[in-house]
Every structure is written in structure tokens, then in C-alpha cells.
Amino acid sequence: EIDDKTKELTLLNKQSVLGRGACHLSLTSDNKFLMVANYSSGNVVVLPIDKDGSLKPVSSNKQHAGTGPNQDRQKGPHAHYIQSSKDNKYVFAVDLGIDKVMNYKLNQKTGVLTENSNQPFLKLEGGAGPRHMIIHQNDKFAYVLNEMASSITACTYDAKKGAFSIIETHSMLPEGFDEFSSAAAIRLHPGGRYVYGSNRGHNSIAVFEIGYDGNITRKQIIQDGIEWPRDYNIHKEGNFMIVANRNQEEIRTFTIDINGELTMTNNVLKITHPTSIQFLD
């Protein structure tokens, strides 16, 4: 709990997430449920939120199963991201270890997850290693960031059924690049015309333009001023981006032009190992 006057934090309670390596959490849009993705154990859970903000015990626990072709990283499931649909009817969990986006229905009274019979999962290319997903604000398209392949998969999205269909996948790396790189974060421009993905290793951010049918066309791969971009975010007005250069121990500002492309600025703030960027309205 946050004290209105002092802004100090007070612990309300703790609950187990019934797994190991919790790496991502999110709230349903009505703030009734907290959802957690456990990377190491490969399961996702739902916890109801009480009226006072405290957490109730887990109401649903879904254990993923399977493997991927990369035995170094895909010997088992690795849930990496979880979010609900706008209407909170569905929950989507991105699993790097099994190359799938798992698809559930959410009982909005009990907080229980069940298989979405319309589409139990979306299968990505073997070895892609999906990490994060973002649904377009028009509720017609979705974009999956593939960590291991450093690529973005564009999909159509049926909001009524909570189902996806792959349109195409594009690399975030330049042609001929064969050294190590690992995708980190995906963001959608507030105007809805561009989608961005960051590369650790190649140390760059790729810019894609979104077509009318949801397809994407790569416009830019920028490396200037970027060093291990663990995260970044775009201001709500869409004019600039702040990048967390984790290994450079800094955050840096980039301008965004009318074509969605980035230009480095000299606006830099030194900070120890930045890993997440969020704007306050």
C-alpha cells in the first residue's frame, strides 16, 4: 500500500506463485486479477486481488509442457510473458521453451483458466523462442517478439474468439549478420503505424511499418547510441523514445520522425544497469 502523504510503501501480504523464476506479471484491465509467468518452471498462475489490494491465493495454475529444437534453451517450457485481452475474456501466455503462445479463457468470477477451444495455442517456428507479444490497439493484429531468432511475427487477431493467425515473420537483423543476438523488447507506436523491436548482441532497434492488412515492412535498423537495449519505451505523444542501454549503464533519448524512424540525441542519463522504462502520465 502507498501512503498518500509520505509515499512510503507498506507490505499488505504475500502469496506463493507456485513456480520458479517469475519473470513477468500483469493485471487484467479491471484490476481484479494478477497474472504471473514463471520462466524456470514453465507455468502461469492467476491470483485474485482483494478490495484492499492484497492478494488472495492462486486461483488457477497452468503448467506448460513440451520442448523445442534448441536443447540449450528449450529442454522444457519457459513461460516468459502473460496478458489478458481488453475484455478480460482471454489470457495469452508466451512460452519461449515450446515456441507457443498458449491461449486460455478466463472465468472473470473465479479467476480460473481453461483451454480456449477456439485456439488452444499459436505455434511459432521451431527454435524462434517467443518472448513477448503486443496486441494492436485496433484489436485486429498482434505481434510476437521472438527472442532466439531476433524476429517479429505478425498475426491477425480475432478478438471475439481470442484467436491468432500468422501473417509473416521478419528478421530484426541485417542480411548476412550471423553473430550472437537476442531480442529483448517490443513496442507499438501510439499512432499504431509502427512496431519496434530491440536486439541485444547486434545492439540495435529495428523499426517496422504496419500495413493495412497487418503485415510489416522493415524501415530501419539503428545502432547509433544503442548498447544492449534491455528495454525502451515511447512517449504517449509518439515524438521520442527512451532506451535502457543496460551494459552501458545509461538511458538515452531518441527522436521519432513522421516516418517512425529514430535519431540519436545527446540526452543521456547515467544509471546502474537499467532494465525497464515506464512513463507516468
Side-chain angles (χ1 to χ4, degrees), residues 53-275:
S54 61
L55 293 172
K56 296 180 180 180
V58 166
S59 57
S60 194
N61 178 14
K62 288 293 183 180
Q63 177 64 55
H64 298 173
T67 61
N70 187 322
Q71 285 303 291
D72 287 335
R73 298 199 61 192
Q74 296 182 309
K75 291 182 179 180
H78 293 299
H80 211 310
Y81 177 87
I82 189 166
Q83 75 167 90
S84 63
S85 58
K86 284 182 181 178
D87 58 11
N88 301 317
K89 291 182 179 179
Y90 303 102
V91 170
F92 312 115
V94 180
D95 196 302
L96 180 147
I98 58 177
D99 296 313
K100 291 178 179 179
V101 177
M102 302 302 294
N103 199 332
Y104 302 104
K105 286 186 176 180
L106 174 65
N107 185 310
Q108 296 173 68
K109 293 183 178 179
T110 64
V112 172
L113 297 176
T114 56
E115 180 184 281
N116 182 356
S117 59
N118 296 318
Q119 184 186 52
F121 59 84
L122 174 71
K123 182 70 172 70
L124 283 301
E125 182 179 352
R131 175 183 174 92
H132 286 175
M133 179 178 71
I134 192 164
I135 297 176
H136 198 282
Q137 53 256 52
N138 66 12
D139 254 7
K140 295 181 180 179
F141 312 129
Y143 300 92
V144 180
L145 181 85
N146 301 305
E147 176 179 329
M148 293 167 56
S150 282
S151 65
I152 292 178
T153 298
C155 307
T156 59
Y157 172 56
D158 186 331
K160 291 184 179 180
K161 295 182 178 180
F164 306 90
S165 180
I166 293 176
I167 302 172
E168 59 188 357
T169 299
H170 285 285
S171 174
M172 303 195 308
L173 300 170
E175 289 71 17
F177 181 84
D178 59 2
E179 300 176 29
F180 171 81
S181 195
S182 176
I186 186 169
R187 297 286 185 181
L188 186 69
H189 191 274
R193 290 183 57 195
Y194 308 103
V195 63
Y196 301 79
S198 65
N199 294 306
R200 297 164 294 179
H202 186 254
N203 294 329
S204 61
I205 291 179
V207 183
F208 294 84
E209 184 173 13
I210 298 172
Y212 290 106
D213 60 357
N215 67 311
I216 54 176
T217 302
R218 199 172 72 199
K219 295 175 61 67
Q220 181 190 32
I221 300 178
I222 181 173
Q223 290 183 290
D224 294 340
I226 297 175
E227 180 66 33
W228 208 263
R230 176 62 176 78
D231 193 25
Y232 58 96
N233 214 333
I234 303 169
H235 187 261
K236 63 181 179 180
E237 294 182 359
N239 297 323
F240 67 89
M241 172 188 291
I242 296 179
V243 178
N245 288 325
R246 184 184 182 278
N247 289 6
Q248 196 70 15
E249 299 197 336
E250 67 177 24
I251 58 174
R252 181 182 290 271
T253 301
F254 292 75
T255 60
I256 304 175
D257 66 20
I258 60 173
N259 297 311
E261 298 187 12
L262 304 173
T263 301
M264 178 185 69
T265 74
N266 292 322
N267 187 356
V268 179
L269 176 66
K270 287 294 182 179
I271 187 170
T272 304
H273 292 154
T275 58

Side-chain angles (χ1 to χ4, degrees), residues 29-45:
S29 62
D30 56 10
N31 295 323
K32 290 183 177 180
F33 300 100
L34 174 71
M35 302 165 291
V36 183
N38 292 310
Y39 182 86
S40 299
S41 52
N43 65 310
V44 296
V45 299

